[in-house]
Each structure stands twice: as C-alpha cells, then as structure tokens.
Amino acid sequence: MTEEKADQKKTELRLSGLDCADCAAKLERKIQALPGVAEAKINFGAGKITVCHTTPAETILQAIKTAGYQGRLANEARKPPKQSVFEDTKLVLTGFSGLMVAVGFFLSFSNISETLVNGVYLAAILSGGFYTARSGLTSLKSVSLDMNFLMTVAVVGAVAIGEWAEGATVVFLFALGNTLQAFTMEKTRNSIRALMDLSPKDALVLRNGQELRLPVEELRIDDIIIVKPGECIPMDGEVVAGTTDVNQAPITGESMPIEKTVGHEVYAGTMNGHGAIEVKVTKLVEDTTLAKIINLVEEAQAQKAPSQQLVDVFAKYYTPAVVIGAVLIALVPWLFFAQPFQLWIERALILLVISCPCALVISTPVSIVAAIGSAARKGVLIKGGAYLEEAGSLKVIAFDKTGTLTRGRPEVAAVIPVDGVSSQRVIELAAAIEKRSQHPLAEAILRYAKEKEIKVPIGTEFQSFTGKGAAAIVDGMVCYIGNSRLFEELNLFPAPLQEQITVLQNQGKTVMILGSGHEVLGLIAVADQIRESSRAAVAGLRQAGISQLVMLTGDNTGTARIIAQELGIDDYRAELLPENKLKAIQQLQQEYGKVGMVGDGINDAPALATAAVGIAMGGAGTDTALETADIALMADDLSKLPYAMHLSKQTLRIIKQNIWFSLAIKAVFIAATFLGFANLWMAVFADTGAALLVIANGMRLMKVEDPYTRDSLDSRKLSSQTCTSV
C-alpha cells in the first residue's frame, strides 16, 4: 500500500466546456472509476480537476475528451489558446443546426414533399445533437442519467412518434443553450483567472554584472531584479535601490499608489509607477502573495456553501423521482385507462427534459464563484462560500482596537511646555534622552522630532528606570522623562499640572513628564491614532445592516471609552488579555448569536477562530492573516470591510432568488405537462433558459461595488490598470 502511494502523482487539469455542476459531479465519478486513479476531485467554480493517480495523465485526458469536455495540464499555459469562431466545432454545428431548423420551417409551408422536409430536420438533429448524443452514450455506459442522455432519449422519442420539427427545434435550442451557458460560465471563472495574468512571465535579472531576461520560474531567492517605470513587478521582494510609487490595487484594493523606497516590500502583480527600482527577490514564484491568493481563492470556490449542500441533496432525489414519474406517465394511462399512447409518451418526454436540475444545481456555485473572484480583485480574500453566506447574515461585529481601529503605533498628540520653555526645546531634550531607548513611546517622540525637522542634541550617560522612564545628560544638564511615579520619587511631581494630566489621561492619552533635576519643563501626550478609514468603515457597516459594533482591547478603560465614543461604537470591553477576548466573543455569541471578529490575524487568532466569521487585516503583508482568517482584507485598513459585508448580503439575496426561481420554473412546467399546456421545445427553452438566467443573475455579483466609502471610484480606476505580460 505504501509503495502504491509512493508511485502516485498528483496532477491538476484545467477543464473547458464544463458548464453544468451536475455534469461535473458525474465526470468526477467517471474519472474516479478509472483504473489507476486513487482520487479525483473537481473544482467546478475554478474549472479544474485534481487527480491522484498512477495511470498516465494522457489516459485521464482521453477520458475527459470521451466525456465531451476538453482538458489540459494546469501548468501548460496561463491561457487556453484562442480559437476563431470557425475553429469552434461545437459552435459551427450549432449554427448549422439552427440554419437547418429555419430552412425546414419555411419548406414546411411549401409544396415540397414531407420526406424532404424531414430530411432537413434530420440534418438539424444530427449536427446539433452530435455532442449531446456522444455525451449521453458515455453517461449510459457509466450508468448515470445526465441531461445529455435524457435529451437524447427525448429527441429519439419525438422522432419515433413523427414529431420531426419538434425534435429538431429541441436539439437546436439545447445546443444553443449549452453554448451560451459555457460562454457565461467561462466569463464568470475569468473573474479569478484574470489575477493569474497580473504577474509577468519573465523578469529582468541582474546576475554577475549582466542584465538577463529570465522566466520567473528560474528566479532564486536574493536575486536582484530591475523594474522599469510603468512595468509590472514580477516577484515579491524588497526594494534595494530607487524610489517609486506602486499601484497595489490589484492585490490590496488600495485607492492610491503607495510610495516605495529602499527597505519597502513590493508584491508580484502590482504596477510600478514613475521610478526605476531594483528589488531583491524574497519569495519564489509559487510562494508569492499573488500565487497564494489565487490558490486560496480557487480552494474557496471549491468549498460548498450550506445552501449548495441543501440543493445537492434535493437534486439527488429530484431527478430519479421525475424520471420514474415520466415512465409511469408513458405507460399507466395507455395500459390501464385506454388513453392514446402518443399523447402520453409526448408528455413523458417533456418530463424527461425538465428532470435535470441544471439551473437549480448551478444556482449557488455560479454566485459564489462570481462573488469570491470579484472580491479578490478588490483586495478582499473570502476563503469559501460558507464564510460568504455567514458574513451576509451577521448583525454584530467585534473589533480589536490596536492595529485595527487604530494605527497600532503611538504618535505625539500634544506638547505642553512649562514656565516659558518652548515646545521645540521640550522635544529637543526629550528626543535626546529617548535616542538610546527602544520603547515604543520613545520611537513616537523621535518620529515627531524628525517630522518637525527638529535638530536633536547629543545625550550622554543614558539611564533607564524600568517601568518609570529614563534620564541622560543633555547640554550639560541632567534631564528626566517618564511617568508620574518617576517624578514623585524625584520629589518633582508637578501638582499644579495634575488637573491637566488627568484631563489628558481621560482623553485616552499617555502622558510623559519632562524635567531637569530641579523643575518640570513640560508634558508630552502620546496616543495611538485612530485610522483615517475607521470612521468611514463604521459608518459604512451601519449602512450595510450591522446593528451592533463592539470593541475589544487590552488597553485601559479610559482610552477604550474615548475611542469608542469618537468612532460611534456601541460597546467596548477593556483591559482584556488574548484569552479574555476569546471569552468576550463567546459571551457576545450567547447574547446576539452569530458574531464576526476583526483583528490582525496574529494576537487575535483564538478570537478569530471562535467567531462565526474571522476577518484579518493586512493579509498582503502576513501569511498568518491569510491562513488564520475566514476573510482577509489585503490592505492594512478597514476601507473594504463594508464592501465585504455588502457583497455577502447581495450574494445571499441572489442565491435565494436563483433557488426559488429554479424551483418555480420546474413546478410550473411539471404542472403544465400534466395539464397538456407544455411541449418539448418549450420545456427545453425553459430548462436551458432558466440555467442562463440563473448564471446571468449570479454574474451580477462581479459588478458589485463599494457603495459606502469615498475612495471606491479611485480604487476602481486603479484596479482596472492591470499589468500585461512581457
């Protein structure tokens, strides 16, 4: 057994012409039954099959071809070769069939013999029904009743009872419907395949002092690649030379180009702006952020949503029940009630046509595929139909504060000098002390000094007082910076400033006191700044139907209260450790039912895993966010969260529309068949037409935009600027 497993290969094949989810399931079973195939799994949404096998791949490809589909190795080419209209045999035969139906119709009104007219209709049946009959025969051999077999039986039955015109019309409408269905499904699948074309196939590499253009598959870690202005960045890496701006919209959905200079990270598939840069490769082509997104999206499209699972169970029993009903209708009235055989056999054939649940089975996956693909192109990675549906039903969302609602790094919010000392002097002395410190508050002061272009003097004899502050000699004077406890120990606590310190602390700010050995020189208030996108995101979520917003934070109650008030958040839970956040999510779920959690994907992993839907930010910059979250916002802000909620709700609405419409069409035509109001071509038109309408309705999700945030239009413009392969 171990030896057999060792010999197994895992091969991915791209499929063409696979436009019916029910037919996909039957093809999967056919491939699974091949000798030497251990496992076969079709991803209908992505149009591919993954096979674990010992038999040659050519045998599997031949089996796919025999079943009436086309297959190719997934790594063979990025795009299937384009065909002209006249090279598409199916399309040519369908067109010829339609022409023959039209000719036969007009000849039937002339004095030409009926035999000749029937010959024209036969030509229409043979040309339009060739692929249908071939697939139907394959289906019969594998003992499965797919739509091709049922349609073949219906047409043969129509001819047998002399209904040549009806049989020819049925064949043409079915062939035309299949052609249109295949076209629309391919268009839906292209919503994610378009991502594959973002990254170039080759790159300009600097090796041994020479510039070489090599395929991206041949690049190695630490290779230096040159990206010229206006070119697409071919690999993930770090900028080592040059300055530019990069359009990251295809990956992160950000609405504006991002400035990149030495030390900054860039992603494959993003577009370089005005400057030339040199980039050190940090990931191989199969490990780039873009490659991971494509892989995760295709896996997500393969996962069945709850509504799809219910539909599959229904379809499993529906088709056999209707086929049995058709047999009974054909025989019972004729055998037991002396009814005309031709009348009831025709009604039985109509039932056969409408017995295949194509529209119903495809109603959910086409919507999921369109929504997930569209979201990925806008910087929102949704990892399955189940999460898409869950997000659409959320009414409560909890947020981590630090790094989610806020920037996650403290900034100087206020500088308050004392007794005639200037604000600049306060920062000069504070920065001189903090230059030797690694504390986040020290970094905030140094960043502020740099932004304000304040020259920092040199400090000597640096001392750190753990949990209290630091000291150094600056310009010959001993200076201290720290909290109230440090200055109480120095007997320098500024009692007159206590009220001001309390006010600042109640505003959610951390206050540092600066002083010499004799007096207090000033106060510096530092705070974690609220993200610019947070207010718009909160407002957008309200409009998207989220009724309760909760903030979870390890910060103090005062800071939590202020930020919650500023953002208009309904509730907050403060001073929480990571395990307390987990308990808070569990409590919220007991109180409200389903709860979504938004965090950074690292410290919040337990809470994200417990929530009905875990949403991580900054997915483009961290593998952890991509792996732990159910939904990942690729940009490091909340601007796309209202869009994700809106898309989820729209998807739920369209799935329900598709399911009810499909069921209604079936019910109407079953009733019409028994009452004698339906005929064969009407049944085909309804069945194929319903499938096309369901696909078209699902495809509307590809056009869903963000109706809530102001930068939506800019993001659409940038996202449309895709890279072209060199």
Side-chain angles (χ1 to χ4, degrees), residues 13 50 54 61 97 113 157 161 192 222 236 275 287 335 339 345 374 387 396 428 446 463 472 535 554 558-559 589 606:
L13 303 170
T50 304
T54 53
L61 287 168
S97 176
S113 71
I161 60 176
I192 183 59
D222 293 334
D236 282 13
D287 298 323
L335 291 175
Q339 292 290 312
I345 193 71
S374 177
Y387 307 122
V396 181
E428 283 177 359
L446 291 169
Q463 283 183 285
R535 289 183 179 85
T559 300
Q589 286 176 329

Side-chain angles (χ1 to χ4, degrees), residues 567-623:
L567 290 175
I569 289 175
D570 304 294
D571 189 13
Y572 63 88
R573 314 282 170 93
E575 301 177 19
L576 300 175
L577 295 172
E579 57 266 29
N580 299 133
K581 290 182 183 179
L582 172 61
K583 291 176 183 175
I585 290 292
Q586 292 170 337
Q587 290 169 359
L588 288 169
Q589 286 176 329
Q590 289 175 0
E591 188 175 349
Y592 297 106
K594 293 178 182 178
V595 176
M597 171 70 189
V598 187
D600 60 12
I602 304 170
N603 298 325
D604 305 309
L608 288 171
T610 303
V613 181
I615 304 166
M617 291 176 56
T622 165
D623 291 343

Side-chain angles (χ1 to χ4, degrees), residues 109-131:
F109 290 100
S110 67
N111 295 323
I112 293 176
S113 71
E114 188 178 341
T115 304
L116 182 58
V117 174
N118 290 344
V120 173
Y121 283 136
L122 179 61
I125 291 170
L126 293 176
S127 56
F130 173 74
Y131 286 101

Side-chain angles (χ1 to χ4, degrees), residues 635-655:
D636 195 23
D637 64 62
L638 290 172
S639 65
K640 295 298 176 184
L641 185 55
Y643 159 75
M645 295 299 106
H646 174 65
L647 177 67
S648 299
K649 291 181 185 298
Q650 288 289 97
T651 303
L652 262 184
R653 187 177 298 116
I654 283 179
I655 286 173

Side-chain angles (χ1 to χ4, degrees), residues 457-476:
I458 296 173
T460 58
E461 298 185 29
F462 174 81
Q463 283 183 285
S464 176
F465 307 103
T466 305
K468 299 172 187 175
I473 296 176
V474 184
D475 294 340

Side-chain angles (χ1 to χ4, degrees), residues 222 224-225 290 380 411 422 500 520 557 626 726:
D222 293 334
I224 302 297
I225 57 176
L290 179 62
V380 179
E411 301 286 351
S422 69
Q500 198 165 12
V520 171
T557 303
L626 287 175
V726 178

